């Protein structure tokens, strides 16, 4: 069965500095991987998805993630943080035919 | 706007009561998922319906039940409510079952007093 581990429960960065949110996954097959963002009191919004095409995936709002099979990782990055990026981020894994498994979430704080 | 609608937005009720949460998926989506999000448990998958049939069950209590109707909208029924059931309940939809991205509704905030 698939599972996902988000390595940091909280990440704090200064505005304009890079963002790195770490995610490791476990999967029996070739997984699909997703990152979702949740702003306070809002539903989850899809940032990006990996489905066995290009290993570097570009998403919305300048975010991207790289699928590394050898490291079983799918870390989320952004070159320059903006105040509006402050939110909770969820890494999600899904084996084909199975439902999604959500990570525990990483809270991103952006300091001015 | 994801295209997924949920009603009501907020619900306040007393322990022991029963409530129904409603979800309308995006146009054309056949799958509906229900999730519970609380501070102590995080985001928990409850149940998945695909084209009217139950597809998968997660951490759903026996006091909770769901169904998906022929027009594909779904309802989550919560009965004998306890204080610990206070949470945000999200509905999500996807085009099919399996590894397709899910689109989330804005959620229903349930407060049990």
């Amino acid at each position: 069965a698939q599972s996902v581990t988000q390595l940091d429960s909280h990440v704090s960065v200064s505005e304009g500095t890079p963002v790195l949110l770490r995610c490791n996954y476990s999967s029996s097959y070739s997984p699909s991987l997703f990152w979702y963002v949740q702003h306070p009191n809002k539903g989850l919004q899809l940032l990006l998805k990996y489905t066995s095409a290009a290993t570097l995936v570009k998403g919305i709002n300048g975010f991207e993630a790289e699928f590394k099979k050898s490291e079983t990782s799918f870390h989320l990055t952004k070159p320059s943080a903006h105040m509006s990026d402050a939110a909770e981020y969820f890494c999600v894994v899904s084996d084909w035919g199975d439902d999604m498994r959500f990570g525990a979430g990483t809270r991103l704080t952006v300091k001015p | 706007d994801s295209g997924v609608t949920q009603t009501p937005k907020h619900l306040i009720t007393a322990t022991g009561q029963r409530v129904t949460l409603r979800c309308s998926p995006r146009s054309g989506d056949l799958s509906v998922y229900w999730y519970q999000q609380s501070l102590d448990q995080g985001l928990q998958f409850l149940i998945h319906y695909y084209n009217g049939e139950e597809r998968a069950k997660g951490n759903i209590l026996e006091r909770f039940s769901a169904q998906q109707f022929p027009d594909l909208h779904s309802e989550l029924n919560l009965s004998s409510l306890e204080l610990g059931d206070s949470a945000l309940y999200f509905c999500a939809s996807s085009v099919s079952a399996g590894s397709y991205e899910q689109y989330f509704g804005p959620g229903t905030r349930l407060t049990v007093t």
Side-chain angles (χ1 to χ4, degrees):
Chain A
Q2 70 271 35
S3 65
V4 64
T5 302
Q6 292 185 243
L7 299 170
D8 307 292
S9 59
H10 185 213
V11 169
S12 181
V13 301
S14 296
E15 191 175 21
T17 65
V19 175
L20 170 63
L21 305 183
R22 299 181 296 163
C23 172
N24 286 350
Y25 69 91
S26 170
S27 170
S28 303
Y29 307 103
S30 293
S32 292
L33 293 155
F34 308 81
W35 276 98
Y36 282 83
V37 61
Q38 184 181 26
H39 288 92
N41 299 311
K42 299 283 187 186
L44 280 74
Q45 180 186 18
L46 180 68
L47 270 181
L48 51 81
K49 64 176 179 177
Y50 165 78
T51 53
S52 74
T55 56
L56 183 62
V57 183
K58 293 189 184 299
I60 61 171
N61 301 334
F63 284 95
E64 61 182 38
E66 186 170 9
F67 173 72
K68 291 187 176 180
K69 188 173 182 178
S70 60
E71 299 176 11
T72 59
S73 69
F74 190 58
H75 301 334
L76 181 70
T77 60
K78 183 173 180 177
S80 175
H82 191 272
M83 296 296 292
S84 61
D85 294 328
E88 187 94 14
Y89 291 80
F90 294 92
C91 182
V92 183
V93 64
S94 174
D95 283 336
W96 181 252
D98 282 346
D99 292 314
M100 291 183 169
R101 295 291 179 264
F102 283 75
T106 297
R107 180 166 300 279
L108 176 66
T109 300
V110 182
K111 298 174 290 188
Chain B
D1 184 359
S2 67
V4 179
T5 60
Q6 289 187 249
T7 56
K9 201 167 186 176
H10 301 279
L11 200 48
I12 301 174
T13 189
T15 54
Q17 296 297 304
R18 172 189 170 95
V19 297
T20 297
L21 312 184
R22 183 189 167 100
C23 168
S24 292
R26 292 189 321 155
S27 176
D29 284 359
L30 298 178
S31 272
V32 170
Y33 305 79
W34 285 98
Y35 295 88
Q36 179 194 60
Q37 186 178 40
S38 60
L39 281 173
D40 53 343
Q41 300 269 10
L43 192 64
Q44 300 279 322
F45 165 67
L46 295 179
I47 198 163
H48 169 203
Y49 274 83
Y50 172 71
N51 203 20
E53 300 288 328
E54 182 184 301
R55 178 73 180 228
K57 266 186 176 179
N59 300 321
I60 188 166
L61 300 171
E62 284 194 14
R63 301 183 284 108
F64 296 1
S65 65
Q67 53 184 328
Q68 186 180 26
F69 295 88
D71 66 353
L72 301 177
H73 91 271
S74 177
E75 292 180 356
L76 179 67
N77 300 296
L78 315 176
S79 61
S80 303
L81 284 167
E82 302 174 0
L83 295 177
D85 297 328
S86 296
L88 259 174
Y89 290 84
F90 287 108
C91 162
S93 73
S94 68
V95 62
S96 184
S99 304
Y100 297 96
E101 58 267 37
Q102 296 178 18
Y103 294 88
F104 282 74
T108 293
R109 181 171 292 282
L110 173 67
T111 302
V112 183
T113 61

